[in-house]
Amino acid sequence: MDSTWTTWAGEQPRLGGSTLAMLQRLLGPLTPTEAAPIESAIVRPSALSQGALDRLCGALGTDGVLVDDRSRAEHSGAQSYADIVRRRRGDTSAAPDAVLLPADADAVQRALEVCTAERITVVPWGGGTSVVGGLDALRGDGVALVALDLRRLNHLLEVDTNSRTATFQPGIRTPAAEAALAEHGFTLGHVPQSYERASLGGYVVTRSAGQASSGYGRIDDLVVGLRLATPSGELVLPSMPGSAAGPDLRRLVLGSEGTLGVVTEVTLRVRPIPATKRYEGWMVPSWDRGLEALRTLAQRRDHPDVTRLSDPDETQISLALSGSGGLTRRLLSTYLRRRGVAGGCLVVVGFEGDDNDVRHRRRATRRVLRSAGGVSLGKRAGRSWEHGRFRGPRLRDAMLDAGVLAETLETANTWRGLPETYDAVRRALQASLGKAVVGCHVSHLYETGASLYFTVLAAADQRREIEQWNAAKLAANDAIVRTGATITHHHAVGTVHRDHVSAELGDVGVAALRAVKRQLDPAGILNPGKLLP
């Protein structure tokens, strides 16, 4: 298990004096805090009975059941703002009563059988990166709760080079999966910001979308087969290029968030490693013109694989935190002013493929962006984004140390509805938080619409910082639903979106999901309190 308890990674950026001064100017006075080390955490005694513990050890082996305080503390919540704040305080109230480490799919099935018989709640655990309460320790009717950690199921099982598919165990982290595929000349191309720590099984059950989803597709588009262990038995859905054999049950597993079963194997589409990768930066005069340019790109067949449009607030913050020197920033500011795009919006586009394909799509994209008044910032800006694409979680850790409330949320809507959702969510967050910076970018483009990804910064109220964010998030959720947008585009439902999902699924849809839950998990041991209202 990663030893980081209150941080995303062992190293994090340091906020310089000018950055701190900028944050205080924008947010008001800040109160720095220090995170409690894991050694200071006090974990309550395990609620597992000796009989249940013995049965679990019999099913998984003694090395497959961990009840030590450190292992349990490391599984006390995931990566939401509330999770991290609690751990920074040394709060381990979300710790499970044990951590289970099955070694194979059969062991997962045995663990579910024991937990059903003993009325033990099971929270499936992949990379631990949920930001929506997907791993909250909610016991439901269980007498105890365990985290079912799939880290041992971490292998590439097969590559079918003819069909361009690869079969994995679910606990493999993305860097390891890509390294294993590279030996065969393939890539998955699924690159969300959680890339470094997230597992492939986690992507499947949360319906993840990577940064290059406009080119490679969402995880929904990549799954062709899987195996699911459930308390009622194993569900095997073989790989098929296409089928009309009734409703596609793979889609039922996608987005199920560990409430219906535990993915033990998944087969995904893969592609040859691209010969060329090129990322570029642009500046467009305004948010509205940028949106229209992105819509045009999305509705062409020769669009980029990566397309991101930052609004003016996110653009300015990004440039300020880019790490470039003061002189460089002044020269850039002068250049943008002379080209008529000062105060505009940053666009990043990326292309992956063979030389001819990349060259063709770049030309088409440049024509569209220039028609929108865009000014090229060249490859250097694109490389800067590429090299910093996973910096966000580390930067959040540094912000929390400085006393900044830093969190994100996302949604998606049609091109027609996108502007209204953007305005409504920004107003809701600013009204709730007061003096705050609310930045946003558009990414994950579709012919019919796109996603909105908001980043929120405010001075943390150290007396009630979790309540402070929860109130702002609730206001944003209400605004999202009111404007007809999805409650979540790729973060999943978990607990923080649970009570808004009915607006999207409807009463009949929720009832249908409950019926499936009863069939596959009649005792209700799997991740209760998530997904279903």
Side-chain angles (χ1 to χ4, degrees):
M1 182 70 184
D2 197 316
S3 61
T4 55
W5 190 53
T6 60
T7 60
W8 178 258
E11 297 180 2
Q12 64 188 50
R14 299 189 63 174
L15 302 181
S18 60
T19 299
L20 288 171
M22 176 193 71
L23 290 171
Q24 290 181 326
R25 185 177 71 254
L26 294 172
L27 308 177
L30 301 174
T31 305
T33 62
E34 290 187 6
I38 192 170
E39 291 76 15
S40 69
I42 299 174
V43 183
R44 70 179 187 279
S46 173
L48 276 178
S49 69
Q50 188 61 49
L53 183 60
D54 291 343
R55 289 191 67 180
L56 287 169
C57 288
L60 302 176
T62 55
D63 62 342
V65 183
L66 307 180
V67 293
D68 63 285
D69 286 356
R70 186 181 185 93
S71 295
R72 293 170 57 206
E74 287 175 333
H75 289 75
S76 56
Q79 290 293 317
S80 73
Y81 179 71
D83 291 330
I84 295 173
V85 167
R86 279 192 289 264
R87 289 198 297 275
R88 287 175 64 90
R89 296 173 179 171
D91 180 350
T92 62
S93 58
D97 295 302
V99 178
L100 308 186
L101 299 174
D104 54 36
D106 290 340
V108 172
Q109 195 69 53
R110 291 195 300 271
L112 295 184
E113 291 168 1
V114 172
C115 290
T116 297
E118 296 287 340
R119 293 177 52 220
I120 298 170
T121 298
V122 177
V123 178
W125 192 283
T129 61
S130 172
V131 293
V132 292
L135 302 178
D136 283 3
L138 304 179
R139 298 189 180 212
D141 296 327
V143 298
L145 181 145
V146 296
L148 184 68
D149 191 321
L150 301 172
R151 74 177 93 155
R152 288 182 173 178
L153 279 73
N154 62 354
H155 293 96
L156 169 62
L157 300 177
E158 181 187 25
V159 175
D160 180 342
T161 57
N162 288 334
S163 307
R164 291 188 176 178
T165 64
T167 301
F168 294 93
Q169 292 179 311
I172 190 169
R173 305 289 179 93
T174 334
E178 286 290 357
L181 282 175
E183 295 181 7
H184 300 270
F186 288 101
T187 180
L188 187 60
H190 192 73
V191 188
Q193 195 171 67
S194 58
Y195 174 91
E196 299 161 301
R197 291 181 57 171
S199 69
L200 297 195
Y203 293 149
V204 171
V205 299
T206 57
R207 295 181 70 184
S208 170
Q211 294 170 348
S213 67
S214 297
Y216 288 87
R218 297 165 55 99
I219 201 71
D220 316 41
D221 305 308
L222 304 182
V223 173
V224 293
L226 50 82
R227 294 173 62 187
L228 185 77
T230 83
S232 295
E234 186 181 40
L235 178 64
V236 180
L237 301 170
S239 300
M240 295 290 178
S243 173
D248 187 355
L249 296 183
R250 295 162 190 80
R251 294 279 168 171
L252 191 63
V253 177
L254 283 157
S256 58
E257 302 187 29
T259 63
L260 303 181
V262 180
V263 173
T264 58
E265 188 178 292
V266 59
T267 302
L268 301 163
R269 292 185 176 90
V270 295
R271 293 187 186 181
I273 295 173
T276 300
K277 290 186 178 183
R278 177 161 178 142
Y279 299 89
E280 301 174 359
W282 289 73
M283 193 72 75
V284 293
S286 69
W287 175 250
D288 290 341
R289 294 188 72 178
L291 280 180
E292 183 59 24
L294 263 61
R295 184 183 68 83
T296 301
L297 290 173
Q299 292 173 350
R300 299 175 60 108
R301 294 189 179 274
D302 50 5
H303 54 69
D305 300 296
V306 173
T307 314
R308 297 164 70 91
L309 166 70
S310 295
D311 73 356
D313 286 339
E314 182 173 284
T315 296
Q316 294 306 311
I317 291 292
S318 297
L319 292 177
L321 296 177
S322 64
S324 57
L327 178 60
T328 303
R329 282 197 293 270
R330 285 197 296 273
L331 290 173
L332 176 61
S333 178
T334 299
Y335 171 73
L336 296 177
R337 187 169 58 253
R338 288 177 176 173
R339 297 299 302 273
V341 291
C345 297
L346 177 66
V347 176
V348 173
V349 291
F351 309 88
E352 301 185 8
D354 63 43
D355 291 344
N356 289 334
D357 169 60
V358 168
R359 189 179 303 112
H360 166 70
R361 289 189 290 142
R362 278 191 65 228
R363 287 173 179 164
T365 298
R366 292 172 73 87
R367 285 196 295 269
V368 171
L369 292 175
R370 283 176 175 155
S371 295
V375 173
S376 175
L377 303 180
K379 291 191 295 184
R380 182 175 178 180
R383 284 197 300 267
S384 176
W385 173 82
E386 183 185 11
H387 294 157
R389 67 198 303 186
F390 306 131
R391 189 168 176 250
R394 291 173 172 80
L395 189 58
R396 181 173 72 164
D397 294 336
M399 295 273 192
L400 266 63
D401 286 344
V404 176
L405 182 161
E407 186 56 303
T408 62
L409 61 93
E410 44 72 51
T411 182
N413 206 342
T414 61
W415 290 111
R416 183 173 64 184
L418 215 59
E420 181 187 5
T421 300
Y422 169 77
D423 291 338
V425 173
R426 279 176 53 86
R427 286 195 302 268
L429 290 167
Q430 289 166 337
S432 178
L433 291 169
K435 199 170 185 180
V437 173
V438 180
C440 181
H441 67 253
V442 172
S443 54
H444 308 297
L445 307 188
Y446 307 89
E447 285 192 39
T448 56
S451 67
L452 292 169
Y453 192 95
F454 295 88
T455 298
V456 185
L457 304 177
D461 183 342
Q462 304 297 342
R463 298 164 300 172
R464 49 180 298 278
E465 50 196 317
I466 293 177
E467 294 80 5
Q468 179 188 13
W469 171 246
N470 286 346
K473 174 63 174 168
L474 177 61
N477 285 353
D478 290 343
I480 286 169
V481 170
R482 188 171 61 251
T483 59
T486 179
I487 193 60
T488 174
H489 172 260
H490 60 267
H491 280 172
V493 176
T495 58
V496 301
H497 298 138
R498 178 189 61 205
D499 297 329
H500 286 76
V501 78
S502 291
E504 193 163 334
L505 301 182
D507 293 340
V508 173
V510 170
L513 280 180
R514 291 193 189 280
V516 175
K517 168 80 169 171
R518 286 193 297 271
Q519 176 63 39
L520 297 179
D521 179 25
I525 65 164
L526 284 170
N527 218 13
K530 322 296 164 46
L531 179 61
L532 294 166

